[in-house]
Amino acid sequence: MRVIIPFLFFACFLTTLVAPAQTNDSLPVPTRCACFSENTVVRFRLHEDTVDRKMILDSSLFYENWNSLPQVAFWRTLMNLPEDSALMCEKDKRQILDRIPTSFYKQLGDSAKEKYRDSLRFAYGLSDSSRILFTTGKKFFYCYENSLPQIDTSISVFLANGVDPWYAQSILIIESPNKIQKSYAGAYGPFQLMKGVARKYGLTVTKSNDERKDLKRSAYAASMLIKKSCIPQARKMLDTLGISYNECDIWFRLLVMHNYHAGAGNVRAALDVICPNQGGMEVIKKLWLTSAGQFQNASQNYSQVLLAAQIEFLDRMVKNSNLIDVHECIGEKVSSQITP
C-alpha cells in the first residue's frame, strides 16, 4: 500500500495549484457556508484532458491521521485490486490476512473454507470467535476519472445552495464513481437519491422522466437533504448527548454522511448503543463496530469507504495531473511514495 506523506506535499500542492481568492474566476462563497474555504479548491488538468477541473483538497484527512487507520488501508487496497483477486481480513480492524485468487476461495466447500479461516486465525494469533471476511477486488468500480466532470459541476451547485462542497465530492466518489448506479433499495443517480427524497426537493420522478439522473438537479436535491436534514439531525444528536462539536471537523462530517446513507434514525440508534461522552475520531471508530436497527454492515463500512475514497482519489489525481511537478516540489524521497 502506498502512503501519502502529507505535510511538505500539501504545503507545496496548495501553493502551486490553488487559484488566488481574488482572481476573476474565484468561486462565489455564500457567507452561510461556514466550513468552505476557497483555499481547499484545487484547479488542475489531467494528462490528455483539455480543460481544468476543480476538486476539494482536505489536508485534515492527513494531519489528523485518518489516512493511517487500518480500515482505510484495507479499502484502498480493494480499490486497486481487480475483481479476480480477493482479500481475507479480520472484520473489526480490517487487518489484511491474505490476498488470494477469487476462484480459489469460491471452489472450496464450506468445510474447507472454515478450515482455511481457522488457519488464518492460528497464523495471526486471533481468537476462535474472530470473524474472517472474504472480499473481492473493487478496482472496476472506482474509476475516478469518470467522476471529475461531475465533481467539478457539483461543487458550484452545492456552494450556490450554501452547502459545503466537501459533501458533494464525498458522495460522488463512493456512490457512482464509474457510472450512474441504481441500488437494490431503489436509490438512483449520481447522488443515489430515493424517490421520496428527490420529490420532496422538487425533482420529477416518473417512468418517462427521472430527474435523479440529471447531475445538477440531483446535486441540488442532495445539497438540500444535507442542509435541511442530515446536518440538523447530527447537531440534534450531539446536543442531546451533551457533546461539543465543530461542523468543519472530519468526524462531524462523517456523522453527517452516515445520516445521508443510513438515515438519522438508524444513526441515532447506533449512538444510543455507544453512549459517547465526547466527539472525535473514537466516535466514528465505535460506529464501525456497532449494530443497531438498520445500522448494520453496510452502514458501518460507509465512512471507512468514504475516507479511503477521498485519499485514493487525491492520490490518483496527483499522479495524473499536468499542473504540478511532484518530484521538484517535494523531493525524490517523498514523491516516490505517491507517484509510480
Side-chain angles (χ1 to χ4, degrees), residues 18 94 127 273:
V18 177
R94 294 291 179 177
S127 69
V273 172

Side-chain angles (χ1 to χ4, degrees), residues 125-167:
L126 301 174
S127 69
D128 292 343
S129 61
S130 296
R131 289 189 61 189
I132 309 298
L133 303 181
F134 163 82
T135 312
T136 58
K138 308 297 182 186
K139 185 177 181 179
F140 71 95
F141 185 78
Y142 292 97
C143 301
Y144 292 128
E145 290 77 5
N146 297 340
S147 302
L148 289 175
Q150 294 181 329
I151 291 171
D152 187 55
T153 298
S154 298
I155 285 175
S156 297
V157 174
F158 270 59
L159 280 175
N161 200 23
V163 180
D164 186 353
W166 185 93
Y167 293 112

Side-chain angles (χ1 to χ4, degrees), residues 250-294:
I250 292 295
W251 74 270
F252 181 89
R253 288 166 160 173
L254 293 176
L255 187 64
V256 170
M257 289 301 297
H258 275 297
N259 287 343
Y260 186 90
H261 175 259
N266 291 311
V267 177
R268 189 181 304 111
L271 287 177
D272 287 343
V273 172
I274 298 170
C275 294
N277 54 22
Q278 62 181 10
M281 182 186 289
E282 289 305 311
V283 172
I284 301 301
K285 290 169 68 175
K286 287 178 180 178
L287 280 176
W288 295 346
L289 304 175
T290 302
S291 297
Q294 298 300 310

Side-chain angles (χ1 to χ4, degrees), residues 62-107:
F62 303 91
Y63 296 139
E64 297 174 13
N65 295 317
W66 293 92
N67 64 311
S68 66
L69 296 173
Q71 294 87 348
V72 174
F74 168 79
W75 288 106
R76 285 194 68 195
T77 302
L78 277 184
M79 290 171 184
N80 288 283
L81 199 65
E83 199 172 7
D84 62 0
S85 298
L87 298 179
M88 303 297 296
C89 77
E90 187 275 328
K91 179 183 182 297
D92 289 347
K93 294 184 179 180
R94 294 291 179 177
Q95 178 186 4
I96 298 173
L97 309 177
D98 202 2
R99 173 175 172 170
I100 58 174
T102 301
S103 58
F104 161 75
Y105 188 81
K106 289 188 173 181
Q107 57 87 29

Side-chain angles (χ1 to χ4, degrees), residues 14-68:
L14 287 171
T15 301
T16 307
L17 294 184
V18 177
Q22 301 302 318
T23 57
N24 292 332
D25 62 349
S26 295
L27 292 169
V29 182
T31 56
R32 63 186 181 278
C33 187
C35 291
F36 173 75
S37 166
E38 190 158 336
N39 288 337
T40 64
V41 175
V42 175
R43 291 173 173 83
F44 65 102
R45 183 177 298 184
L46 294 182
H47 298 315
E48 300 180 0
D49 202 349
T50 58
V51 296
D52 290 351
R53 307 288 186 184
K54 297 188 296 291
M55 62 178 272
I56 302 297
L57 190 156
D58 188 351
S59 58
S60 59
L61 291 167
F62 303 91
Y63 296 139
E64 297 174 13
N65 295 317
W66 293 92
N67 64 311
S68 66

